Amino acid sequence: MAFNGHQRDDEGIDEDETPTKQPRSNKEMPGGYFRHEPNNEATASAGRATSERRTSNSTTRHRVDSVKKTRPPFPWFGMDIGGTLVKLVYFEPKDITAEEEQEEVENLKSIRRYLTSNTAYGKTGIRDVHLELQDLTLCGRTGNLHFIRFPTHDLPAFLQMGRNKHFSSLHTTLCATGGGAYKFESDFRTMADLELHKLDELDCLIRGVLYIDSVMSSGPSECYYFENPTDPDRCIQRPYTLENPYPLLLVNIGSGVSILAVYSESNYKRVTGTSLGGGTFLGLCCLLTGCSTFEEALEMASQGESTRVDKLVRDIYGGDYESFGNMMSKEKRESVSKEDLARATLVTITNNIGSITRMCALNENIERVVFVGNFLRVNTLSMKLLAYAMDYWSKGQLKALFLRHEGYFGAVGALLELLHPS
């Protein structure tokens, strides 16, 4: 990769690198440190201490040099280009030395200031400040991890911004995952002079989930569930500790849905999926209600008539699936509101995902289900419906788990691949 940034060289040890054990017997050590003199134990002890100090210093220098050679220069990004949203994670170093700051090129400073001093970019770009991870140590550097998203249809504006800020002079290769990494590869090259290093979407997803869960040791728990999901009056969110997570069923709900059976970080398989996901929900809502954004569709759904939705849910769990069945009646079509249509669409999509997930859990004999993906962003209604479905169909044996960073795990995995290539 071709970069033009600056790094600290004096410290920062990669915890992943384990030093080779040094020899300690007098046969293996260089001469002069140990002598076989039974009556001079103090001398032998002093010799051992001196030897160990020199060995320790040598090992530390070796590890620092190794990190410097493998650590990429700034800026550090990871991208997940989905069908509906682009997710971007950016590591902001907070331990920059005075010497580094003097040597740092202006383009790098400009990009860092732009990304960290704003919470909105243009009309649609958003930095999710509530998800920011502070004082994080990555590859021997300390800083903050920022989470940024914007609609995929605004990718040309993002590329133009990168071109205006001369991003390619700093970073000519960008780690990216998602279908858009293939679809828009030529646009990155022609519009912003950037090369994409395309990564496997599922590898990045799993790597990102496991990493974020491992670093969330303080503050709000990354993982949570809904207690009493079948009782709306008593349904409350509770933290959940994801210890010894394997095996688990990982359900990624984005524009479409992928369901993975995960047995370890490196042992997993894609069980199934469906094209009926967040993209279907938004597309149908735009068609039926005239809304134009995901947030608008969710707001309309939250105001839909609850009795009709309740009837729909009861029909599903009773075995009589009548989603949109009432729309065959002209009289009922004329009386239904746009909010009701949005709500019915959300419930239909969500319960279809829940039904497929439950069947996969049974077939794979897995009792732990984790739902992720941007379809769940600000979408408590769907999360509670999924929790209800898992609890109801499994007679309380299955617990639906959710993660705070929802749709950013693929981008986190891409960033980790930049720092620690697999």
PDB file of all heavy atoms in Angstrom, residues 194-230:
ATOM      1  N   LEU A 194      -8.274   6.187  -6.084  1.00  0.00           N
ATOM      2  CA  LEU A 194      -8.087   5.293  -4.947  1.00  0.00           C
ATOM      3  C   LEU A 194      -8.254   3.845  -5.383  1.00  0.00           C
ATOM      4  O   LEU A 194      -9.138   3.530  -6.180  1.00  0.00           O
ATOM      5  CB  LEU A 194      -9.099   5.596  -3.840  1.00  0.00           C
ATOM      6  CG  LEU A 194      -8.914   6.906  -3.066  1.00  0.00           C
ATOM      7  CD1 LEU A 194     -10.124   7.170  -2.199  1.00  0.00           C
ATOM      8  CD2 LEU A 194      -7.653   6.830  -2.214  1.00  0.00           C
ATOM      9  N   GLU A 195      -7.421   2.984  -4.849  1.00  0.00           N
ATOM     10  CA  GLU A 195      -7.524   1.555  -5.093  1.00  0.00           C
ATOM     11  C   GLU A 195      -8.192   0.890  -3.896  1.00  0.00           C
ATOM     12  O   GLU A 195      -7.814   1.140  -2.750  1.00  0.00           O
ATOM     13  CB  GLU A 195      -6.147   0.935  -5.321  1.00  0.00           C
ATOM     14  CG  GLU A 195      -5.497   1.331  -6.627  1.00  0.00           C
ATOM     15  CD  GLU A 195      -6.231   0.781  -7.848  1.00  0.00           C
ATOM     16  OE1 GLU A 195      -6.852  -0.297  -7.720  1.00  0.00           O
ATOM     17  OE2 GLU A 195      -6.180   1.432  -8.902  1.00  0.00           O
ATOM     18  N   LEU A 196      -9.183   0.049  -4.160  1.00  0.00           N
ATOM     19  CA  LEU A 196      -9.856  -0.677  -3.094  1.00  0.00           C
ATOM     20  C   LEU A 196      -9.206  -2.041  -2.891  1.00  0.00           C
ATOM     21  O   LEU A 196      -8.979  -2.774  -3.854  1.00  0.00           O
ATOM     22  CB  LEU A 196     -11.340  -0.874  -3.431  1.00  0.00           C
ATOM     23  CG  LEU A 196     -12.249   0.349  -3.369  1.00  0.00           C
ATOM     24  CD1 LEU A 196     -13.691  -0.063  -3.645  1.00  0.00           C
ATOM     25  CD2 LEU A 196     -12.154   1.031  -2.023  1.00  0.00           C
ATOM     26  N   HIS A 197      -8.914  -2.362  -1.642  1.00  0.00           N
ATOM     27  CA  HIS A 197      -8.493  -3.719  -1.282  1.00  0.00           C
ATOM     28  C   HIS A 197      -9.762  -4.428  -0.812  1.00  0.00           C
ATOM     29  O   HIS A 197     -10.228  -4.217   0.301  1.00  0.00           O
ATOM     30  CB  HIS A 197      -7.434  -3.682  -0.193  1.00  0.00           C
ATOM     31  CG  HIS A 197      -6.998  -5.034   0.283  1.00  0.00           C
ATOM     32  ND1 HIS A 197      -6.764  -6.093  -0.588  1.00  0.00           N
ATOM     33  CD2 HIS A 197      -6.760  -5.522   1.521  1.00  0.00           C
ATOM     34  CE1 HIS A 197      -6.407  -7.155   0.099  1.00  0.00           C
ATOM     35  NE2 HIS A 197      -6.409  -6.850   1.387  1.00  0.00           N
ATOM     36  N   LYS A 198     -10.333  -5.270  -1.669  1.00  0.00           N
ATOM     37  CA  LYS A 198     -11.639  -5.873  -1.414  1.00  0.00           C
ATOM     38  C   LYS A 198     -11.493  -7.081  -0.484  1.00  0.00           C
ATOM     39  O   LYS A 198     -10.628  -7.931  -0.689  1.00  0.00           O
ATOM     40  CB  LYS A 198     -12.297  -6.280  -2.730  1.00  0.00           C
ATOM     41  CG  LYS A 198     -12.468  -5.116  -3.701  1.00  0.00           C
ATOM     42  CD  LYS A 198     -13.179  -5.522  -4.966  1.00  0.00           C
ATOM     43  CE  LYS A 198     -12.376  -6.508  -5.797  1.00  0.00           C
ATOM     44  NZ  LYS A 198     -11.117  -5.919  -6.283  1.00  0.00           N
ATOM     45  N   LEU A 199     -12.377  -7.133   0.514  1.00  0.00           N
ATOM     46  CA  LEU A 199     -12.299  -8.165   1.543  1.00  0.00           C
ATOM     47  C   LEU A 199     -13.592  -8.954   1.616  1.00  0.00           C
ATOM     48  O   LEU A 199     -14.673  -8.434   1.287  1.00  0.00           O
ATOM     49  CB  LEU A 199     -12.015  -7.524   2.904  1.00  0.00           C
ATOM     50  CG  LEU A 199     -10.734  -6.691   2.985  1.00  0.00           C
ATOM     51  CD1 LEU A 199     -10.713  -5.877   4.264  1.00  0.00           C
ATOM     52  CD2 LEU A 199      -9.511  -7.592   2.900  1.00  0.00           C
ATOM     53  N   ASP A 200     -13.492 -10.190   2.088  1.00  0.00           N
ATOM     54  CA  ASP A 200     -14.667 -11.042   2.232  1.00  0.00           C
ATOM     55  C   ASP A 200     -15.613 -10.457   3.272  1.00  0.00           C
ATOM     56  O   ASP A 200     -15.222 -10.143   4.398  1.00  0.00           O
ATOM     57  CB  ASP A 200     -14.247 -12.451   2.653  1.00  0.00           C
ATOM     58  CG  ASP A 200     -15.436 -13.389   2.763  1.00  0.00           C
ATOM     59  OD1 ASP A 200     -15.848 -13.948   1.735  1.00  0.00           O
ATOM     60  OD2 ASP A 200     -15.965 -13.545   3.884  1.00  0.00           O
ATOM     61  N   GLU A 201     -16.874 -10.331   2.903  1.00  0.00           N
ATOM     62  CA  GLU A 201     -17.861  -9.664   3.749  1.00  0.00           C
ATOM     63  C   GLU A 201     -18.114 -10.416   5.056  1.00  0.00           C
ATOM     64  O   GLU A 201     -18.220  -9.815   6.134  1.00  0.00           O
ATOM     65  CB  GLU A 201     -19.171  -9.512   2.965  1.00  0.00           C
ATOM     66  CG  GLU A 201     -20.224  -8.690   3.661  1.00  0.00           C
ATOM     67  CD  GLU A 201     -21.415  -8.401   2.758  1.00  0.00           C
ATOM     68  OE1 GLU A 201     -21.446  -8.897   1.613  1.00  0.00           O
ATOM     69  OE2 GLU A 201     -22.315  -7.680   3.219  1.00  0.00           O
ATOM     70  N   LEU A 202     -18.204 -11.727   4.976  1.00  0.00           N
ATOM     71  CA  LEU A 202     -18.525 -12.506   6.168  1.00  0.00           C
ATOM     72  C   LEU A 202     -17.334 -12.590   7.121  1.00  0.00           C
ATOM     73  O   LEU A 202     -17.503 -12.560   8.345  1.00  0.00           O
ATOM     74  CB  LEU A 202     -19.007 -13.902   5.766  1.00  0.00           C
ATOM     75  CG  LEU A 202     -20.209 -13.924   4.815  1.00  0.00           C
ATOM     76  CD1 LEU A 202     -20.675 -15.345   4.563  1.00  0.00           C
ATOM     77  CD2 LEU A 202     -21.358 -13.079   5.365  1.00  0.00           C
ATOM     78  N   ASP A 203     -16.119 -12.694   6.556  1.00  0.00           N
ATOM     79  CA  ASP A 203     -14.916 -12.670   7.395  1.00  0.00           C
ATOM     80  C   ASP A 203     -14.856 -11.368   8.201  1.00  0.00           C
ATOM     81  O   ASP A 203     -14.583 -11.374   9.405  1.00  0.00           O
ATOM     82  CB  ASP A 203     -13.652 -12.778   6.533  1.00  0.00           C
ATOM     83  CG  ASP A 203     -13.423 -14.186   6.012  1.00  0.00           C
ATOM     84  OD1 ASP A 203     -14.043 -15.127   6.546  1.00  0.00           O
ATOM     85  OD2 ASP A 203     -12.627 -14.338   5.067  1.00  0.00           O
ATOM     86  N   CYS A 204     -15.092 -10.250   7.526  1.00  0.00           N
ATOM     87  CA  CYS A 204     -15.034  -8.936   8.186  1.00  0.00           C
ATOM     88  C   CYS A 204     -16.122  -8.810   9.243  1.00  0.00           C
ATOM     89  O   CYS A 204     -15.886  -8.269  10.332  1.00  0.00           O
ATOM     90  CB  CYS A 204     -15.175  -7.825   7.151  1.00  0.00           C
ATOM     91  SG  CYS A 204     -13.728  -7.594   6.088  1.00  0.00           S
ATOM     92  N   LEU A 205     -17.310  -9.303   8.928  1.00  0.00           N
ATOM     93  CA  LEU A 205     -18.432  -9.215   9.864  1.00  0.00           C
ATOM     94  C   LEU A 205     -18.098  -9.921  11.181  1.00  0.00           C
ATOM     95  O   LEU A 205     -18.240  -9.343  12.272  1.00  0.00           O
ATOM     96  CB  LEU A 205     -19.678  -9.826   9.234  1.00  0.00           C
ATOM     97  CG  LEU A 205     -20.894 -10.003  10.150  1.00  0.00           C
ATOM     98  CD1 LEU A 205     -21.417  -8.649  10.597  1.00  0.00           C
ATOM     99  CD2 LEU A 205     -21.984 -10.799   9.432  1.00  0.00           C
ATOM    100  N   ILE A 206     -17.649 -11.166  11.092  1.00  0.00           N
ATOM    101  CA  ILE A 206     -17.367 -11.948  12.292  1.00  0.00           C
ATOM    102  C   ILE A 206     -16.189 -11.354  13.056  1.00  0.00           C
ATOM    103  O   ILE A 206     -16.218 -11.224  14.286  1.00  0.00           O
ATOM    104  CB  ILE A 206     -17.109 -13.416  11.918  1.00  0.00           C
ATOM    105  CG1 ILE A 206     -18.402 -14.048  11.390  1.00  0.00           C
ATOM    106  CG2 ILE A 206     -16.578 -14.202  13.118  1.00  0.00           C
ATOM    107  CD1 ILE A 206     -18.234 -15.421  10.816  1.00  0.00           C
ATOM    108  N   ARG A 207     -15.161 -10.968  12.338  1.00  0.00           N
ATOM    109  CA  ARG A 207     -13.988 -10.380  12.994  1.00  0.00           C
ATOM    110  C   ARG A 207     -14.368  -9.095  13.734  1.00  0.00           C
ATOM    111  O   ARG A 207     -13.918  -8.844  14.853  1.00  0.00           O
ATOM    112  CB  ARG A 207     -12.916 -10.091  11.940  1.00  0.00           C
ATOM    113  CG  ARG A 207     -11.536  -9.826  12.510  1.00  0.00           C
ATOM    114  CD  ARG A 207     -10.498  -9.752  11.402  1.00  0.00           C
ATOM    115  NE  ARG A 207      -9.160  -9.543  11.931  1.00  0.00           N
ATOM    116  CZ  ARG A 207      -8.088  -9.405  11.176  1.00  0.00           C
ATOM    117  NH1 ARG A 207      -8.176  -9.483   9.858  1.00  0.00           N
ATOM    118  NH2 ARG A 207      -6.896  -9.205  11.728  1.00  0.00           N
ATOM    119  N   GLY A 208     -15.212  -8.282  13.112  1.00  0.00           N
ATOM    120  CA  GLY A 208     -15.646  -7.034  13.728  1.00  0.00           C
ATOM    121  C   GLY A 208     -16.502  -7.252  14.959  1.00  0.00           C
ATOM    122  O   GLY A 208     -16.332  -6.582  15.977  1.00  0.00           O
ATOM    123  N   VAL A 209     -17.435  -8.206  14.883  1.00  0.00           N
ATOM    124  CA  VAL A 209     -18.311  -8.504  16.028  1.00  0.00           C
ATOM    125  C   VAL A 209     -17.483  -8.941  17.227  1.00  0.00           C
ATOM    126  O   VAL A 209     -17.657  -8.439  18.349  1.00  0.00           O
ATOM    127  CB  VAL A 209     -19.339  -9.597  15.655  1.00  0.00           C
ATOM    128  CG1 VAL A 209     -20.014 -10.136  16.914  1.00  0.00           C
ATOM    129  CG2 VAL A 209     -20.395  -9.040  14.707  1.00  0.00           C
ATOM    130  N   LEU A 210     -16.576  -9.880  17.017  1.00  0.00           N
ATOM    131  CA  LEU A 210     -15.784 -10.412  18.125  1.00  0.00           C
ATOM    132  C   LEU A 210     -14.846  -9.361  18.701  1.00  0.00           C
ATOM    133  O   LEU A 210     -14.628  -9.303  19.918  1.00  0.00           O
ATOM    134  CB  LEU A 210     -15.000 -11.640  17.661  1.00  0.00           C
ATOM    135  CG  LEU A 210     -15.856 -12.818  17.193  1.00  0.00           C
ATOM    136  CD1 LEU A 210     -14.973 -13.957  16.704  1.00  0.00           C
ATOM    137  CD2 LEU A 210     -16.776 -13.311  18.313  1.00  0.00           C
ATOM    138  N   TYR A 211     -14.307  -8.502  17.841  1.00  0.00           N
ATOM    139  CA  TYR A 211     -13.390  -7.468  18.340  1.00  0.00           C
ATOM    140  C   TYR A 211     -14.129  -6.429  19.182  1.00  0.00           C
ATOM    141  O   TYR A 211     -13.705  -6.097  20.299  1.00  0.00           O
ATOM    142  CB  TYR A 211     -12.666  -6.782  17.178  1.00  0.00           C
ATOM    143  CG  TYR A 211     -11.813  -5.632  17.654  1.00  0.00           C
ATOM    144  CD1 TYR A 211     -10.582  -5.863  18.260  1.00  0.00           C
ATOM    145  CD2 TYR A 211     -12.261  -4.321  17.544  1.00  0.00           C
ATOM    146  CE1 TYR A 211      -9.806  -4.814  18.729  1.00  0.00           C
ATOM    147  CE2 TYR A 211     -11.498  -3.260  18.013  1.00  0.00           C
ATOM    148  CZ  TYR A 211     -10.274  -3.514  18.607  1.00  0.00           C
ATOM    149  OH  TYR A 211      -9.515  -2.472  19.086  1.00  0.00           O
ATOM    150  N   ILE A 212     -15.218  -5.885  18.656  1.00  0.00           N
ATOM    151  CA  ILE A 212     -15.949  -4.843  19.390  1.00  0.00           C
ATOM    152  C   ILE A 212     -16.448  -5.374  20.721  1.00  0.00           C
ATOM    153  O   ILE A 212     -16.367  -4.694  21.753  1.00  0.00           O
ATOM    154  CB  ILE A 212     -17.127  -4.309  18.553  1.00  0.00           C
ATOM    155  CG1 ILE A 212     -16.606  -3.515  17.349  1.00  0.00           C
ATOM    156  CG2 ILE A 212     -18.039  -3.423  19.396  1.00  0.00           C
ATOM    157  CD1 ILE A 212     -15.885  -2.237  17.707  1.00  0.00           C
ATOM    158  N   ASP A 213     -16.950  -6.599  20.736  1.00  0.00           N
ATOM    159  CA  ASP A 213     -17.416  -7.168  22.000  1.00  0.00           C
ATOM    160  C   ASP A 213     -16.260  -7.306  22.996  1.00  0.00           C
ATOM    161  O   ASP A 213     -16.445  -7.113  24.194  1.00  0.00           O
ATOM    162  CB  ASP A 213     -18.065  -8.528  21.765  1.00  0.00           C
ATOM    163  CG  ASP A 213     -18.613  -9.139  23.039  1.00  0.00           C
ATOM    164  OD1 ASP A 213     -19.592  -8.600  23.592  1.00  0.00           O
ATOM    165  OD2 ASP A 213     -18.059 -10.150  23.505  1.00  0.00           O
ATOM    166  N   SER A 214     -15.058  -7.590  22.501  1.00  0.00           N
ATOM    167  CA  SER A 214     -13.912  -7.799  23.396  1.00  0.00           C
ATOM    168  C   SER A 214     -13.403  -6.507  24.011  1.00  0.00           C
ATOM    169  O   SER A 214     -12.831  -6.524  25.102  1.00  0.00           O
ATOM    170  CB  SER A 214     -12.773  -8.489  22.631  1.00  0.00           C
ATOM    171  OG  SER A 214     -12.173  -7.605  21.697  1.00  0.00           O
ATOM    172  N   VAL A 215     -13.577  -5.362  23.320  1.00  0.00           N
ATOM    173  CA  VAL A 215     -13.038  -4.097  23.837  1.00  0.00           C
ATOM    174  C   VAL A 215     -14.070  -3.305  24.631  1.00  0.00           C
ATOM    175  O   VAL A 215     -13.735  -2.288  25.232  1.00  0.00           O
ATOM    176  CB  VAL A 215     -12.482  -3.209  22.699  1.00  0.00           C
ATOM    177  CG1 VAL A 215     -11.347  -3.918  21.987  1.00  0.00           C
ATOM    178  CG2 VAL A 215     -13.575  -2.797  21.725  1.00  0.00           C
ATOM    179  N   MET A 216     -15.317  -3.753  24.635  1.00  0.00           N
ATOM    180  CA  MET A 216     -16.354  -3.031  25.377  1.00  0.00           C
ATOM    181  C   MET A 216     -16.381  -3.497  26.827  1.00  0.00           C
ATOM    182  O   MET A 216     -17.370  -4.047  27.312  1.00  0.00           O
ATOM    183  CB  MET A 216     -17.715  -3.243  24.713  1.00  0.00           C
ATOM    184  CG  MET A 216     -17.863  -2.586  23.362  1.00  0.00           C
ATOM    185  SD  MET A 216     -17.947  -0.788  23.479  1.00  0.00           S
ATOM    186  CE  MET A 216     -19.575  -0.583  24.175  1.00  0.00           C
ATOM    187  N   SER A 217     -15.282  -3.250  27.543  1.00  0.00           N
ATOM    188  CA  SER A 217     -15.183  -3.702  28.926  1.00  0.00           C
ATOM    189  C   SER A 217     -15.751  -2.693  29.910  1.00  0.00           C
ATOM    190  O   SER A 217     -16.093  -3.034  31.036  1.00  0.00           O
ATOM    191  CB  SER A 217     -13.717  -3.974  29.275  1.00  0.00           C
ATOM    192  OG  SER A 217     -12.922  -2.821  29.045  1.00  0.00           O
ATOM    193  N   SER A 218     -15.842  -1.429  29.498  1.00  0.00           N
ATOM    194  CA  SER A 218     -16.392  -0.395  30.367  1.00  0.00           C
ATOM    195  C   SER A 218     -17.519   0.315  29.640  1.00  0.00           C
ATOM    196  O   SER A 218     -17.621   0.272  28.430  1.00  0.00           O
ATOM    197  CB  SER A 218     -15.304   0.606  30.768  1.00  0.00           C
ATOM    198  OG  SER A 218     -14.763   1.242  29.617  1.00  0.00           O
ATOM    199  N   GLY A 219     -18.358   0.998  30.396  1.00  0.00           N
ATOM    200  CA  GLY A 219     -19.490   1.686  29.808  1.00  0.00           C
ATOM    201  C   GLY A 219     -20.628   0.731  29.521  1.00  0.00           C
ATOM    202  O   GLY A 219     -20.667  -0.395  30.025  1.00  0.00           O
ATOM    203  N   PRO A 220     -21.567   1.159  28.667  1.00  0.00           N
ATOM    204  CA  PRO A 220     -22.721   0.304  28.353  1.00  0.00           C
ATOM    205  C   PRO A 220     -22.288  -1.009  27.718  1.00  0.00           C
ATOM    206  O   PRO A 220     -21.347  -1.048  26.936  1.00  0.00           O
ATOM    207  CB  PRO A 220     -23.526   1.163  27.358  1.00  0.00           C
ATOM    208  CG  PRO A 220     -23.048   2.557  27.555  1.00  0.00           C
ATOM    209  CD  PRO A 220     -21.617   2.449  27.972  1.00  0.00           C
ATOM    210  N   SER A 221     -22.985  -2.071  28.058  1.00  0.00           N
ATOM    211  CA  SER A 221     -22.674  -3.382  27.488  1.00  0.00           C
ATOM    212  C   SER A 221     -22.950  -3.377  25.992  1.00  0.00           C
ATOM    213  O   SER A 221     -23.939  -2.814  25.531  1.00  0.00           O
ATOM    214  CB  SER A 221     -23.522  -4.454  28.174  1.00  0.00           C
ATOM    215  OG  SER A 221     -23.343  -5.703  27.547  1.00  0.00           O
ATOM    216  N   GLU A 222     -22.053  -3.982  25.217  1.00  0.00           N
ATOM    217  CA  GLU A 222     -22.261  -4.069  23.772  1.00  0.00           C
ATOM    218  C   GLU A 222     -23.462  -4.935  23.445  1.00  0.00           C
ATOM    219  O   GLU A 222     -24.250  -4.629  22.557  1.00  0.00           O
ATOM    220  CB  GLU A 222     -21.012  -4.633  23.100  1.00  0.00           C
ATOM    221  CG  GLU A 222     -21.158  -4.899  21.605  1.00  0.00           C
ATOM    222  CD  GLU A 222     -21.336  -3.636  20.778  1.00  0.00           C
ATOM    223  OE1 GLU A 222     -20.978  -2.538  21.267  1.00  0.00           O
ATOM    224  OE2 GLU A 222     -21.827  -3.731  19.650  1.00  0.00           O
ATOM    225  N   CYS A 223     -23.629  -6.019  24.180  1.00  0.00           N
ATOM    226  CA  CYS A 223     -24.696  -6.976  23.902  1.00  0.00           C
ATOM    227  C   CYS A 223     -25.854  -6.778  24.892  1.00  0.00           C
ATOM    228  O   CYS A 223     -25.636  -6.494  26.071  1.00  0.00           O
ATOM    229  CB  CYS A 223     -24.140  -8.396  24.008  1.00  0.00           C
ATOM    230  SG  CYS A 223     -25.293  -9.686  23.485  1.00  0.00           S
ATOM    231  N   TYR A 224     -27.082  -6.927  24.397  1.00  0.00           N
ATOM    232  CA  TYR A 224     -28.251  -6.789  25.266  1.00  0.00           C
ATOM    233  C   TYR A 224     -29.404  -7.613  24.717  1.00  0.00           C
ATOM    234  O   TYR A 224     -29.358  -8.124  23.589  1.00  0.00           O
ATOM    235  CB  TYR A 224     -28.661  -5.324  25.405  1.00  0.00           C
ATOM    236  CG  TYR A 224     -29.057  -4.642  24.109  1.00  0.00           C
ATOM    237  CD1 TYR A 224     -30.388  -4.594  23.689  1.00  0.00           C
ATOM    238  CD2 TYR A 224     -28.094  -4.046  23.295  1.00  0.00           C
ATOM    239  CE1 TYR A 224     -30.748  -3.974  22.503  1.00  0.00           C
ATOM    240  CE2 TYR A 224     -28.441  -3.420  22.108  1.00  0.00           C
ATOM    241  CZ  TYR A 224     -29.773  -3.385  21.726  1.00  0.00           C
ATOM    242  OH  TYR A 224     -30.126  -2.779  20.546  1.00  0.00           O
ATOM    243  N   TYR A 225     -30.443  -7.769  25.521  1.00  0.00           N
ATOM    244  CA  TYR A 225     -31.635  -8.500  25.116  1.00  0.00           C
ATOM    245  C   TYR A 225     -32.848  -7.835  25.741  1.00  0.00           C
ATOM    246  O   TYR A 225     -32.720  -6.880  26.537  1.00  0.00           O
ATOM    247  CB  TYR A 225     -31.544  -9.965  25.559  1.00  0.00           C
ATOM    248  CG  TYR A 225     -31.663 -10.168  27.051  1.00  0.00           C
ATOM    249  CD1 TYR A 225     -32.872 -10.595  27.628  1.00  0.00           C
ATOM    250  CD2 TYR A 225     -30.581  -9.943  27.899  1.00  0.00           C
ATOM    251  CE1 TYR A 225     -32.976 -10.777  29.000  1.00  0.00           C
ATOM    252  CE2 TYR A 225     -30.681 -10.127  29.265  1.00  0.00           C
ATOM    253  CZ  TYR A 225     -31.879 -10.538  29.814  1.00  0.00           C
ATOM    254  OH  TYR A 225     -31.982 -10.704  31.173  1.00  0.00           O
ATOM    255  N   PHE A 226     -34.026  -8.306  25.370  1.00  0.00           N
ATOM    256  CA  PHE A 226     -35.269  -7.758  25.924  1.00  0.00           C
ATOM    257  C   PHE A 226     -35.899  -8.793  26.854  1.00  0.00           C
ATOM    258  O   PHE A 226     -36.223  -9.901  26.426  1.00  0.00           O
ATOM    259  CB  PHE A 226     -36.240  -7.368  24.815  1.00  0.00           C
ATOM    260  CG  PHE A 226     -35.804  -6.147  24.052  1.00  0.00           C
ATOM    261  CD1 PHE A 226     -35.075  -6.264  22.880  1.00  0.00           C
ATOM    262  CD2 PHE A 226     -36.108  -4.878  24.520  1.00  0.00           C
ATOM    263  CE1 PHE A 226     -34.651  -5.147  22.190  1.00  0.00           C
ATOM    264  CE2 PHE A 226     -35.685  -3.748  23.841  1.00  0.00           C
ATOM    265  CZ  PHE A 226     -34.960  -3.879  22.671  1.00  0.00           C
ATOM    266  N   GLU A 227     -36.029  -8.399  28.097  1.00  0.00           N
ATOM    267  CA  GLU A 227     -36.653  -9.270  29.089  1.00  0.00           C
ATOM    268  C   GLU A 227     -38.175  -9.178  28.970  1.00  0.00           C
ATOM    269  O   GLU A 227     -38.715  -8.102  28.715  1.00  0.00           O
ATOM    270  CB  GLU A 227     -36.205  -8.838  30.491  1.00  0.00           C
ATOM    271  CG  GLU A 227     -36.622  -9.755  31.604  1.00  0.00           C
ATOM    272  CD  GLU A 227     -36.058  -9.295  32.932  1.00  0.00           C
ATOM    273  OE1 GLU A 227     -36.508  -8.252  33.457  1.00  0.00           O
ATOM    274  OE2 GLU A 227     -35.146  -9.971  33.428  1.00  0.00           O
ATOM    275  N   ASN A 228     -38.848 -10.291  29.134  1.00  0.00           N
ATOM    276  CA  ASN A 228     -40.317 -10.364  29.019  1.00  0.00           C
ATOM    277  C   ASN A 228     -40.818  -9.841  27.662  1.00  0.00           C
ATOM    278  O   ASN A 228     -41.691  -8.983  27.593  1.00  0.00           O
ATOM    279  CB  ASN A 228     -40.994  -9.572  30.142  1.00  0.00           C
ATOM    280  CG  ASN A 228     -40.572 -10.015  31.512  1.00  0.00           C
ATOM    281  OD1 ASN A 228     -40.525 -11.210  31.798  1.00  0.00           O
ATOM    282  ND2 ASN A 228     -40.235  -9.046  32.369  1.00  0.00           N
ATOM    283  N   PRO A 229     -40.269 -10.341  26.550  1.00  0.00           N
ATOM    284  CA  PRO A 229     -40.643  -9.801  25.227  1.00  0.00           C
ATOM    285  C   PRO A 229     -42.101 -10.038  24.855  1.00  0.00           C
ATOM    286  O   PRO A 229     -42.641  -9.322  24.012  1.00  0.00           O
ATOM    287  CB  PRO A 229     -39.700 -10.542  24.268  1.00  0.00           C
ATOM    288  CG  PRO A 229     -39.374 -11.820  24.972  1.00  0.00           C
ATOM    289  CD  PRO A 229     -39.320 -11.465  26.430  1.00  0.00           C
ATOM    290  N   THR A 230     -42.749 -11.033  25.461  1.00  0.00           N
ATOM    291  CA  THR A 230     -44.147 -11.317  25.108  1.00  0.00           C
ATOM    292  C   THR A 230     -45.131 -10.489  25.933  1.00  0.00           C
ATOM    293  O   THR A 230     -46.333 -10.585  25.734  1.00  0.00           O
ATOM    294  CB  THR A 230     -44.458 -12.815  25.316  1.00  0.00           C
ATOM    295  OG1 THR A 230     -44.178 -13.173  26.678  1.00  0.00           O
ATOM    296  CG2 THR A 230     -43.612 -13.668  24.387  1.00  0.00           C
TER     297      THR A 230
END
